[in-house]
Amino acid sequence: MNQDWLMGLIGGGLIGTSAAIFLLVNGKVMGASGLIGGLVDKSGLGNWQERAFWIAGLVVAPALMTLMFGLKPTNVTGNIPVIIVAGLLVGIGTRIANGCTSGHGVCGISRMSLRGIVATVFYIGAGGLTMIIFKHVLGVI
Amino acid sequence: MRNIAALIAGAMFGAGLLISGMTNTKKVQGWLDVFGDWDPTLAFVMGGAIIPMAIAWRITEGRKPALGGAFPEKPNPVLGRKLVIGSVMFGAGWGLVGLCPGPALASITFGGVGGFVFLLAMLAGMLMAPPLRAKLD
């Protein structure tokens, strides 16, 4: 098996296990956009500590790993206007749809939630279409 | 205890995103780029993540969370335009740069200026979302 695919499977297993812990212990769906967005728009301040600790783990663990094992390239584009538009779209879109790759994707599909499956079809479809238009047709990314 | 569990879950999530390659925007865009040099890694990540979560949902049946409360009920299968419009917007932004909310935060210490600007724009978008969401109701 391709090394990247194997690492994907192992990393994916960690992602799913982390979501399983959050569900079985804390009783909540581990959706990144909801956990972060609830602090930003103040709709989730009722359990702000839980959210803050989760975010701390999410930031610190990869930081320590890159310090120990070397930096991993993120390959983020240098095109700042594209980055700003993309960030706004991701922020607004995930909060309007009430979920992103972790909430709708991992947590939704695994319980056969129709909303999670439909959301995943649309965001992957829109992502694919974006690649066709902005990479292959317009050549801006 | 809730905070400790949240910290552990967040750390494992971040480690998983890094190990799986999902903090590398090239791999994410590679998955979406069906007509380019297509990279199927994301499917392995999703598959690897869905298996333990499917088991977890099975465990929740007839039980309560370890620290009390109740498990989230399955949402009504109401689709609606908010789900579709929001997901299309999210997917477009995801394709443009190759970052979604989890990896955007996970890579903030090593994602450079671009990663930082993306996170700021994403947080601004999250702040702008509630009034837009209300309009779509």
Side-chain angles (χ1 to χ4, degrees):
Chain A
M1 190 192 239
N2 180 312
Q3 181 83 14
D4 281 7
W5 301 355
L6 185 65
M7 293 307 272
L9 206 53
I10 295 168
L14 268 172
I15 294 167
T17 307
S18 70
I21 290 172
F22 204 66
L23 177 68
L24 296 174
V25 179
N26 292 31
K28 296 210 168 65
V29 171
M30 194 188 81
S33 59
L35 286 166
I36 302 162
L39 289 181
V40 175
D41 66 19
K42 300 191 172 72
S43 63
L45 290 185
N47 62 339
W48 70 270
Q49 284 189 327
E50 192 175 22
R51 292 167 190 262
F53 273 86
W54 180 83
I55 289 171
L58 175 58
V59 171
V60 172
L64 290 177
M65 286 169 71
T66 51
L67 276 179
M68 286 189 287
F69 308 115
L71 280 179
K72 291 251 188 168
T74 55
N75 294 311
V76 177
T77 173
N79 190 331
I80 297 291
V82 166
I83 292 176
I84 292 173
V85 170
L88 287 171
L89 282 169
V90 170
I92 296 170
T94 53
R95 292 302 279 158
I96 288 179
N98 202 23
C100 57
T101 340
S102 46
H104 279 316
V106 175
C107 298
I109 293 174
S110 60
R111 82 188 305 196
M112 295 302 284
S113 152
L114 183 65
R115 281 176 56 84
I117 293 166
V118 168
T120 303
V121 167
F122 275 98
Y123 66 68
I124 289 182
L129 204 60
T130 299
M131 293 306 286
I132 294 173
I133 297 170
F134 289 91
K135 184 182 173 190
H136 296 291
V137 179
L138 300 174
V140 292
I141 59 169
Chain B
M1 271 311 287
R2 304 189 75 83
N3 297 342
I4 304 288
L7 182 74
I8 292 169
M12 282 180 69
F13 182 47
L17 289 172
L18 188 75
I19 290 170
S20 63
M22 294 298 102
T23 53
N24 181 354
T25 60
K26 281 276 175 293
K27 291 206 77 67
V28 175
Q29 289 182 317
W31 156 260
L32 294 171
D33 192 10
V34 184
F35 294 102
D37 188 13
W38 189 61
D39 183 341
T41 305
L42 193 138
F44 288 89
V45 182
M46 265 290 173
I50 284 171
I51 294 165
M53 239 347 244
I55 296 169
W57 283 119
R58 278 293 185 84
I59 296 172
T60 64
E61 284 167 22
R63 292 190 175 84
K64 288 194 179 306
L67 297 177
F71 285 117
E73 279 179 35
K74 198 164 180 172
N76 290 329
V78 182
L79 300 175
R81 58 182 180 170
K82 279 190 296 184
L83 187 78
V84 173
I85 294 170
S87 295
V88 168
M89 288 177 75
F90 164 43
W94 192 39
L96 281 175
V97 169
L99 284 172
C100 52
L105 258 182
S107 65
I108 197 59
T109 55
F110 55 95
V113 175
F116 188 67
V117 173
F118 181 88
L119 183 69
L120 287 183
M122 185 184 86
L123 296 177
M126 287 176 165
L127 200 57
M128 290 156 63
L132 294 170
R133 193 170 46 206
K135 275 188 190 156
L136 289 170
D137 270 328

